[in-house]
């Protein structure tokens, strides 16, 4: 016997109970984004590999070791399953010249792929909601994006997510800091771990992000980027903070918040919870003014963030969110012995008629006795059962039975059925119709 095939490690099936929870989440997310006038965009899951190398940076976790890259066997092109959405989104915006007349607020939702060690909150196929504002230069949009996150937490009823912000300044400010940082870390080379040594000249800022406890003292004493910011960068950072303060939104400036991707400048932020163990960052983002020109476009400022859907859903459930399984309004059972299959054919007509009126109908398929069909009807969670035998089909009537309350079943003429069902479900006036 052949072995049953399994999904790839770190890539999860989302089964119906969970998939319905995801849909509920997505519904909330769509309404939230519409409230801030963001419009949807959908990009392919596969992109040319150089897009990510160019956008994210060669010396980053993602490009160095996390990408699913392969050669297209037909034409030899280097392709990659997208590890994040910002690069694709900017590529699409440039390709279709979307920034020609006005700035854009865009969002997308979907799977991302990274070859990481799977663990709770960290998967190889995971999902993000990405939110990007392109063509906006001032701190107002950064602040609005941060505030909108807080609204989503409120809409979902999530507590205990705290905000950390930082400013990465501009490239020239980073360069000066970088020189000093390399000199400082180089002076403590014997205390650096292997990864830090490797990164010392390639991406020293990332060393500050290291979780290795042995290096914490040396990291604490390192030159701080914020001390290298010029007037304009500081003013931008203060502009963001002003809006947060006006809104009464608490935040912490974390000078070690540097983000894993190269394209950020000025504002960066993360929303973090202590409730999910090591994988506590549920949302991360910031400004990336250099990316549009880096990908070949006319320079244009931009700011965005991504939500980690799996982590937010885990938090939502941990905090007591219950998802009610949707149930049909009515389950239609039918059985007949007449040669012409009259009961089944009538059951189809009745079911479609009820759906025309807007009811959710589960039509029994697969045959079986009335008794076994009624068991299915009960298990479906439907409020009502419509029962159809040869007798009903002949008379153009349906027997209705309440499945959740005691009481007699009633015969109803087919043309009165929708209003009778409405009356039973919602207590509406039967004559008034629906
Ligand atoms: P981390 O430091 O946890 O690896 P990151 O900096 O690589 O995160 P981003 O690229 O900023 O993450 O992605 C934004 C968000 O997407 C993260 O804050 C997290 O919520 C989620 N995320 C990132 N990688 C994964 C993953 N492998 N599995 C599940 N969620 C993820
Ligand atoms: Mg990562």
């Amino acid at each position: 016997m052949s072995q049953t095939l399994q999904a790839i490690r770190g890539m999860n099936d989302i089964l119906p109970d969970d998939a319905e929870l995801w849909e509920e989440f997505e519904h909330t997310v769509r309404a939230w984004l519409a409230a801030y006038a963001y419009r949807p965009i959908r990009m392919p899951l596969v992109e040319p590999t150089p897009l990510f190398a160019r956008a994210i940076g060669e010396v980053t976790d993602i490009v160095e070791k996390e990408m699913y890259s392969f050669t297209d066997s037909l034409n030899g092109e280097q392709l990659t399953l997208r590890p994040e959405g910002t690069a694709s989104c900017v590529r699409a915006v440039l390709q279709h010249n979307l920034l020609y007349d006005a700035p854009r607020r865009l969002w997308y939702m979907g799977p991302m792929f990274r070859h990481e060690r799977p663990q709770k909150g960290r998967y190889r196929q995971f999902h993000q909601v990405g939110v990007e504002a392109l063509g906006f230069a001032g701190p107002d949009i950064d602040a609005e994006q941060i505030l909108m996150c807080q609204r989503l937490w409120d809409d979902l009823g999530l507590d205990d997510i705290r905000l950390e912000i930082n400013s990465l300044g501009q490239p020239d400010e980073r360069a000066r800091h970088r020189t000093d940082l390399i000199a400082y870390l180089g002076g403590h080379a014997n205390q650096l771990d292997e990864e830090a040594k490797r990164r010392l000249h390639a991406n020293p800022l990332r060393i500050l992000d290291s979780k290795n406890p042995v290096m914490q003292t040396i990291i604490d004493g390192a030159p701080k980027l914020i001390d290298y910011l010029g007037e304009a960068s500081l003013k931008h950072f203060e502009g963001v903070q002003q809006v947060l303060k006006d809104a009464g939104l608490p935040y912490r400036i974390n000078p070690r918040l540097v983000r894993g991707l190269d394209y950020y400048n000025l504002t960066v932020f993360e929303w973090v919870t202590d409730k999910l163990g090591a994988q506590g960052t549920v949302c991360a983002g910031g400004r990336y003014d250099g990316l549009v020109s880096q990908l070949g476009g006319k320079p244009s400022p931009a700011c965005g963030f991504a939500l980690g859907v799996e982590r937010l859903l885990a938090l939502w459930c941990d905090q007591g969110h219950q998802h009610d399984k949707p149930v049909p309004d009515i389950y239609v059972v039918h059985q007949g012995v007449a040669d012409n299959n009259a009961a089944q054919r009538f059951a189809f007509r009745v079911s479609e008629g009820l759906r025309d009126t807007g009811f959710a109908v589960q039509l029994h398929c697969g045959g079986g006795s009335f008794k076994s069909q009624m068991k299915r009807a009960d298990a479906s969670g439907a409020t009502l059962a419509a029962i159809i035998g040869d007798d009903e089909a002949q008379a153009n009537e349906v027997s209705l039975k309440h499945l959740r309350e005691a009481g007699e079943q009633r015969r109803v003429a087919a043309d009165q059925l929708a209003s009778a069902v409405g009356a039973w479900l919602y207590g509406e006036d039967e004559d008034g119709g629906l």
Side-chain angles (χ1 to χ4, degrees):
M1 204 178 76
S2 65
Q3 221 183 349
T4 326
L5 291 171
Q6 304 279 313
I8 294 164
R9 206 161 91 83
M11 303 202 179
N12 299 315
D13 298 310
I14 301 163
L15 302 180
D17 282 346
D18 284 332
E20 281 166 358
L21 174 77
W22 279 63
E23 286 189 353
E24 188 186 345
F25 173 80
E26 288 162 7
H27 184 74
T28 306
V29 163
R30 283 174 207 282
W32 162 70
L33 288 159
Y36 286 86
Y38 277 80
R39 297 183 63 200
I41 182 167
R42 298 181 187 218
M43 298 83 64
L45 302 193
V46 182
E47 295 276 2
T49 305
L51 171 66
F52 302 113
R54 223 157 111 189
I56 299 171
E58 296 279 0
V59 194
T60 53
D61 283 348
I62 293 180
V63 174
E64 273 186 341
K65 55 187 183 200
E66 293 175 0
M67 294 207 303
Y68 281 92
S69 296
F70 57 97
T71 308
D72 184 327
S73 59
L74 292 181
N75 62 7
E77 210 179 337
Q78 289 300 311
L79 303 177
T80 294
L81 295 183
R82 65 177 186 194
E84 54 104 55
T86 304
S88 307
C89 182
V90 171
R91 198 250 331 119
V93 162
L94 292 179
Q95 184 173 335
H96 303 285
N97 200 19
L98 294 190
L99 286 178
Y100 72 100
D101 62 344
R104 294 271 182 172
R105 285 173 161 94
L106 300 171
W107 73 274
Y108 48 84
M109 168 152 59
M112 306 293 161
F113 304 86
R114 297 187 193 176
H115 203 283
E116 305 201 65
R117 192 169 67 78
Q119 54 198 289
K120 185 173 181 283
R122 192 174 290 287
Y123 308 101
R124 290 179 171 171
Q125 175 175 328
F126 64 100
H127 296 74
Q128 288 184 339
V129 176
V131 179
E132 319 283 1
L134 298 130
F136 297 89
D140 48 356
I141 195 86
D142 316 24
E144 189 190 53
Q145 290 193 336
I146 294 172
L147 288 189
M148 72 189 275
C149 291
Q150 181 58 52
R151 180 175 295 276
L152 181 62
W153 315 152
D154 293 344
D155 289 351
L156 294 167
L158 297 175
D159 307 319
D160 295 323
I161 311 182
R162 51 171 208 279
L163 172 62
E164 301 201 337
I165 62 173
N166 192 20
S167 175
L168 299 183
Q170 297 294 11
D172 57 323
E173 295 155 357
R174 281 235 287 277
R176 259 176 272 134
H177 170 255
R178 185 189 148 103
T179 308
D180 289 0
L181 185 61
I182 293 175
Y184 168 85
L185 292 171
H188 296 78
N190 56 342
Q191 293 172 51
L192 299 181
D193 62 18
E194 282 314 307
E195 181 157 287
K197 278 188 192 137
R198 204 170 46 78
R199 285 201 157 132
L200 182 56
H201 291 278
N203 195 351
L205 205 55
R206 284 287 281 158
I207 299 176
L208 302 183
D209 203 21
S210 165
K211 310 269 181 322
N212 186 346
V214 182
M215 298 207 319
Q216 296 313 304
T217 322
I218 163 169
I219 288 173
D220 285 342
K224 293 195 173 32
L225 179 51
I226 196 120
D227 297 330
Y228 291 74
L229 300 194
E231 208 181 317
S233 295
L234 286 173
K235 193 158 165 262
H236 188 102
F237 198 32
E238 275 154 23
V240 174
Q241 293 179 59
Q242 186 63 59
V243 177
L244 302 184
K245 284 183 193 142
D246 287 349
L249 187 67
Y251 62 90
R252 183 174 87 92
I253 297 177
N254 176 359
R256 289 172 55 174
L257 186 63
V258 296
R259 310 284 307 112
L261 294 73
D262 270 2
Y263 53 56
Y264 289 106
N265 70 318
L266 294 175
T267 321
V268 288
F269 61 93
E270 285 193 1
W271 289 89
V272 189
T273 176
D274 296 325
K275 310 277 161 167
L276 294 176
Q279 269 52 255
T281 306
V282 293
C283 170
R287 185 159 275 284
Y288 51 91
D289 293 334
L291 185 60
V292 173
S293 57
Q294 210 169 303
L295 292 181
K298 198 163 98 252
S300 175
C303 188
F305 62 92
L307 308 174
V309 175
E310 282 83 356
R311 294 184 193 177
L312 278 172
L313 286 172
L315 193 61
W316 206 23
C317 293
D318 283 359
Q319 297 198 347
H321 176 72
Q322 301 261 335
H323 174 73
D324 296 327
K325 184 177 164 227
V327 292
D329 296 315
I330 184 159
Y331 193 104
V332 178
V333 306
H334 55 91
Q335 198 201 21
V337 291
D339 285 346
N340 61 0
N341 244 346
Q344 176 178 305
R345 289 161 66 193
F346 185 50
F348 266 91
R349 273 213 313 282
V350 162
S351 299
E352 290 302 338
L354 286 167
R355 292 182 187 117
D356 287 343
T357 320
F359 294 111
V361 182
Q362 186 167 347
L363 169 65
H364 185 87
C365 286
S369 67
F370 267 127
K371 194 163 163 226
S372 68
Q373 290 191 36
M374 286 305 286
K375 267 196 191 147
R376 287 279 181 84
D378 198 42
S380 76
T383 313
L384 301 176
I387 302 161
I388 294 169
D390 285 332
D391 217 24
E392 281 88 352
Q394 178 93 51
N396 211 26
E397 291 176 353
V398 173
S399 296
L400 270 184
K401 181 171 164 50
H402 207 295
L403 292 169
R404 312 295 148 199
E405 288 168 10
E408 292 300 300
Q409 64 185 55
R410 299 161 40 183
R411 284 273 283 249
V412 181
D415 60 0
Q416 297 296 309
L417 183 61
S419 48
V421 168
W424 260 14
L425 287 175
Y426 307 113
E428 274 146 17
D429 178 357
E430 284 191 40
D431 295 333
L434 286 173

